[in-house]
Amino acid sequence: MDSSAAVVDSWLSVAGQVLAFPAHVERFARSVERTGGDAAEAEAAIAAARSATPGVGDFFPRIEYTSARGFRHSIRAAPNRQSTAVLWTAPIDPRQHPTVKGPDLPELAGLRVIAAEHGANEAVVLDDGYVSEAAHSSIAWWRDDRLFYPDDALPRVDSVTWSVVRTLAASLGTDVIPSRATPHDLEGSEVWVMSALHGIRGVEQWLEGPSLAPPERRDLWQARLIALRERDGVR
């Protein structure tokens, strides 16, 4: 696969079932169109990638689009999933196209390598000092029974997993509140990072950052996501 792909998407397939696959289709098609490609062709290409994924076993397919090569996909075995994360704050924001998943992935992967050298497995990216997203994850945090997330004006990839969590939280009567927050502002919060591969990971520690509350809500909410995946992903 081309590490400099213009647009990339990936999703977890468990026995042929996927969480919010239509949202992946919509995001991929929209991003392809924004980079000069054809949205209908993008929808057909990502549907073909899903159809090519075996209905038995766990897979993490990836599809990419470049203007030079068009659409390509690979059906990859799913890596081991994690339930927890350790965060490290990146000292720079390397993103040049923060709202499109794909062109910044090599630089973001580099941040995760540096994070690992510090003992973390995810790097938090700040925008003008405010928490925006993590290198390969979206981020949200709990204070009391209210769920906060980075203000929509802070540029970042439109996370499918976070969108599902946000909608689910609102349907359960939870206050979901946008916020411009520095890492220090998250002191005492329960923090989550979310992605298609892992679902929700509860943050155990933020290196050289705020002290956090234990991620006690994570298991219940991860189970809720799995239940939605089973319903939404049935062929």
Side-chain angles (χ1 to χ4, degrees):
M1 284 290 182
D2 184 355
S3 62
S4 61
V7 182
V8 168
D9 214 307
S10 53
W11 57 93
L12 178 65
S13 175
V14 177
Q17 299 171 345
V18 181
L19 176 67
F21 186 71
H24 283 278
V25 173
E26 193 277 332
R27 181 179 67 180
F28 184 65
R30 181 178 69 247
S31 296
V32 167
E33 188 172 46
R34 286 173 56 190
T35 58
D38 184 270
E41 291 181 1
E43 291 177 1
I46 194 171
R50 182 172 181 189
S51 294
T53 305
V56 176
D58 296 358
F59 293 89
F60 193 53
R62 168 180 160 131
I63 187 167
E64 69 174 40
Y65 167 79
T66 61
S67 57
R69 296 185 177 134
F71 299 95
R72 297 191 300 171
H73 70 256
S74 61
I75 309 302
R76 309 170 297 180
N80 291 332
R81 271 86 79 196
Q82 301 166 346
S83 61
T84 61
V86 175
L87 303 185
W88 169 80
T89 305
I92 61 169
D93 179 1
R95 302 171 300 168
Q96 297 297 313
H97 307 276
T99 62
V100 178
K101 184 175 180 178
D104 294 327
L105 285 177
E107 289 75 19
L108 293 171
L111 288 183
R112 291 189 69 193
V113 171
I114 301 172
E117 293 172 354
H118 286 78
N121 57 7
E122 186 58 287
V124 177
V125 178
L126 305 182
D127 185 279
D128 197 27
Y130 296 112
V131 174
S132 177
E133 62 180 346
H136 288 170
S137 311
S138 58
I139 188 167
W141 57 97
W142 291 88
R143 294 194 193 121
D144 299 321
D145 291 323
R146 299 180 297 170
L147 181 60
F148 292 80
Y149 67 98
D151 189 273
D152 291 325
L154 297 170
R156 59 189 180 275
V157 170
D158 183 16
S159 166
V160 170
T161 306
W162 162 243
S163 179
V164 174
V165 170
R166 178 179 180 175
T167 300
L168 178 59
S171 73
L172 293 172
T174 300
D175 291 332
V176 184
I177 304 169
S179 175
R180 286 180 175 265
T182 67
H184 176 74
D185 292 332
L186 273 60
E187 184 80 20
S189 300
E190 176 179 346
V191 178
W192 290 352
V193 288
M194 294 156 284
S195 65
L197 175 62
H198 301 292
I200 300 168
R201 286 184 290 170
V203 178
E204 293 185 317
Q205 185 180 6
W206 194 320
L207 301 179
E208 301 179 11
S211 297
L212 304 177
E216 296 176 345
R217 297 174 176 85
R218 183 267 171 189
D219 289 350
L220 172 60
W221 283 76
Q222 179 73 356
R224 288 169 171 167
L225 285 190
I226 290 172
L228 287 174
R229 179 185 69 208
E230 292 172 347
R231 290 195 295 271
D232 184 69
V234 173
R235 297 186 182 186

